[in-house]
Amino acid sequence: MPHTSRSCIRVIDRLTLLRLTLTGWERCASLRTVTPPVPAADATLIVSNGHAEDLIGAALARELLAARPEPLLALPLVGAGRAYGNVAAVQGPLLNLPSGGFPFGSLNNLRADLRAGLLTTSLRQWWAARSLGPQVNRVVVVGDTYALLVGTLAARAVAGPRGPRLPLTHLQPLVSTHYARGMGVRSHLRELNALGANLFMPWEVALARRARRVYTRDAPSAASLARRGVNASYRGSFAMDILPAPERDLPELPTGRPVLALVPGQRGDADFSLPLMLEAAAHLPEWQAAVAFANDWAALPVPAGWQLTGAGDQTRWLQRGDVRVLVLRGAFAAVARRATMALGTAGTASEQLAGLGVPVIGFPTPGPQYVAGFARRQARLLGRALTVTPADPCEVVRAVRTLFDHPQRLKAAQADGRERIGPPGALRAIAAELDG
């Protein structure tokens, strides 16, 4: 094992040990973050740790409010929690991570996040969770083991005779038994930094057993947890629940050619992946390529030889010679529903495309998210719905044509995506059960 990998693992082990065993909350008094007192005898606290997790938490909050108005508090552990908008009062210290919530994706990610205050702000968030516990009557966690740990701290703010004092519900949108499909011991050792994402680890199971219920992203994962003594259920796809209706009509897209969606993601991966996608699109004249871009125009990487035209707030064109690629901001759902196939280096967005029956061609980037290990894991999750190629435009073009020119392969990829991701409806069902 390379020296850097061993060093990364040692750091990860120390962080894990710190987060799981640190006691003596009075030592953190100087780090305490004061939050406004909230008179919320019937309030719900939602703990989430990531962009997609915030979206899921906010969507669940809307379902809860639609059934019964109640005070809702949100403790986002990564980012600013903007997804909660007007549906929940954001609490606690905020933590913006350079990795976008993937500190263990690489050693560079981990170093950058530590420099950004990962440890000290995490301690302050722990204190905030403990302070918020007495103000609510139930805790809902959306995220991984770490989020569940923080939610457990809130639920146990006042010790009870057994387990959490407050009802604790966990929505686990990350781990799936599909991630470990076909993996042996050696394979797990090669992905040691992703071990807790590929498998339900013993400490997560121990925490989950104390939860009122755990909701998983797919049925096999629920069955796996149930065999280990967890009250686990599957109610549908979280990813498809947070896919909105088409944002607008797209008259710019022609009807005579299939649409190839270019989805570079909203993190730094786009700087590498979008130019490569554009180069591949330039060699696919039989397709109309459309970029679903999530960030501001200033962040759009325009490769040499391409010209950005148009001055609209939401729609522009990238042009090189006779090749014209549509670029759309704030229209991912509209593009996804028009696409026949996609080039994707994104997490949740690629899963949503697969869930719609749109096969995805992906390739690894230098990061921060869609590194080689992440791409391999997503391929195990999505099955034939995701084809991973080398980061080479010619290989991407070959993969698109091979899949499209073989109807049976295309149908199999479409079926795998729909089956692996599942139908929407989870959050409405979970909200009803929480209030039931």
Side-chain angles (χ1 to χ4, degrees):
M1 183 179 297
H3 174 71
T4 55
S5 297
R6 290 197 299 269
S7 300
C8 184
I9 291 165
R10 284 197 296 269
V11 173
I12 292 169
D13 286 343
R14 290 170 185 169
L15 287 173
T16 303
L17 182 62
L18 174 65
R19 286 180 164 176
L20 292 176
T21 63
L22 187 64
T23 56
W25 292 101
E26 60 279 1
R27 298 178 185 176
C28 305
S30 61
L31 298 174
R32 181 174 181 177
T33 296
V34 178
T35 55
V38 180
D42 295 325
T44 297
L45 173 63
I46 302 175
V47 179
S48 55
N49 67 330
H51 175 70
E53 290 81 355
D54 288 355
L55 291 174
I56 294 168
L60 177 64
R62 285 189 286 272
E63 294 289 350
L64 291 170
L65 290 174
R68 177 171 62 88
E70 61 176 303
L72 296 172
L73 311 181
L75 180 60
L77 304 178
V78 177
R82 294 187 181 90
Y84 288 102
N86 296 323
V87 298
V90 175
Q91 306 290 303
L94 302 177
L95 177 60
N96 288 303
L97 296 176
S99 73
F102 295 88
F104 300 143
S106 69
L107 186 57
N108 288 336
N109 283 10
L110 183 58
R111 285 171 173 165
D113 285 357
L114 288 172
R115 286 194 295 266
L118 174 63
L119 290 179
T120 55
T121 307
S122 294
L123 290 175
R124 294 167 63 199
Q125 290 174 337
W126 287 22
W127 189 274
R130 294 283 292 185
S131 300
L132 290 167
Q135 301 179 40
V136 300
N137 68 349
R138 64 183 175 189
V139 179
V140 177
V141 173
V142 185
D144 60 10
T145 310
Y146 177 63
L148 179 58
L149 173 63
V150 176
T152 301
L153 291 175
R156 291 177 64 90
V158 177
R162 292 182 181 177
R165 179 185 66 86
L166 300 174
L168 176 66
T169 301
H170 184 202
L171 280 63
Q172 175 39 291
L174 300 170
V175 183
S176 169
T177 56
H178 291 304
Y179 282 135
R181 186 180 294 268
M183 295 185 71
V185 174
R186 289 184 179 179
S187 298
H188 282 299
L189 290 175
R190 283 196 296 268
E191 295 186 11
L192 199 57
N193 62 328
L195 190 61
N198 290 336
L199 298 169
F200 292 106
M201 303 305 291
W203 45 86
E204 177 174 5
V205 174
L207 289 171
R209 285 174 181 154
R210 295 175 175 268
R212 172 186 171 187
R213 180 166 288 177
V214 175
Y215 295 96
T216 63
R217 63 181 301 166
D218 51 54
S221 298
S224 175
L225 284 176
R227 288 192 294 269
R228 300 172 71 176
V230 177
N231 183 19
S233 300
Y234 169 66
R235 295 290 181 262
S237 170
F238 304 128
M240 302 312 290
D241 275 348
I242 60 175
L243 177 66
E247 297 88 351
R248 60 183 186 268
D249 294 333
L250 301 177
E252 303 91 346
L253 287 176
T255 57
R257 286 186 291 169
V259 173
L260 180 67
L262 310 187
V263 186
Q266 62 177 348
R267 296 181 173 88
D269 305 82
D271 292 339
F272 174 86
S273 62
L274 183 56
L276 195 152
M277 291 177 181
L278 291 170
E279 187 63 31
H283 291 85
L284 291 165
E286 66 272 30
W287 293 77
Q288 174 59 61
V291 181
F293 195 65
N295 298 324
D296 294 334
W297 289 120
L300 182 71
V302 180
W306 291 82
Q307 182 180 4
L308 185 65
T309 62
D313 289 338
Q314 303 296 325
T315 305
R316 296 189 185 178
W317 292 88
L318 277 167
Q319 187 164 354
R320 190 179 75 182
D322 295 334
V323 179
R324 298 184 79 218
V325 175
L326 184 63
V327 186
L328 298 150
R329 290 185 63 244
F332 168 73
V335 172
R337 286 180 167 86
R338 288 286 301 274
T340 300
M341 203 176 299
L343 309 183
T345 53
T348 302
S350 291
E351 295 173 16
Q352 290 169 327
L353 285 160
L356 290 171
V358 179
V360 180
I361 311 297
F363 51 85
T365 79
Q369 179 182 14
Y370 214 83
V371 295
F374 188 98
R376 287 194 301 269
R377 292 181 60 249
Q378 194 175 63
R380 294 195 299 269
L381 171 70
L382 299 180
R384 291 169 291 185
L386 173 63
T387 301
V388 178
T389 76
D392 181 296
C394 295
E395 295 292 339
V396 173
V397 169
R398 185 178 294 112
V400 170
R401 286 181 171 154
T402 297
L403 190 57
F404 191 69
D405 292 344
H406 293 81
Q408 292 304 316
R409 292 185 187 179
L410 183 62
K411 289 181 180 178
Q414 293 168 338
D416 263 16
R418 293 188 180 103
E419 187 272 328
R420 293 294 183 89
I421 297 302
L427 297 179
R428 180 164 298 179
I430 292 170
E433 292 177 12
L434 283 171
D435 284 336

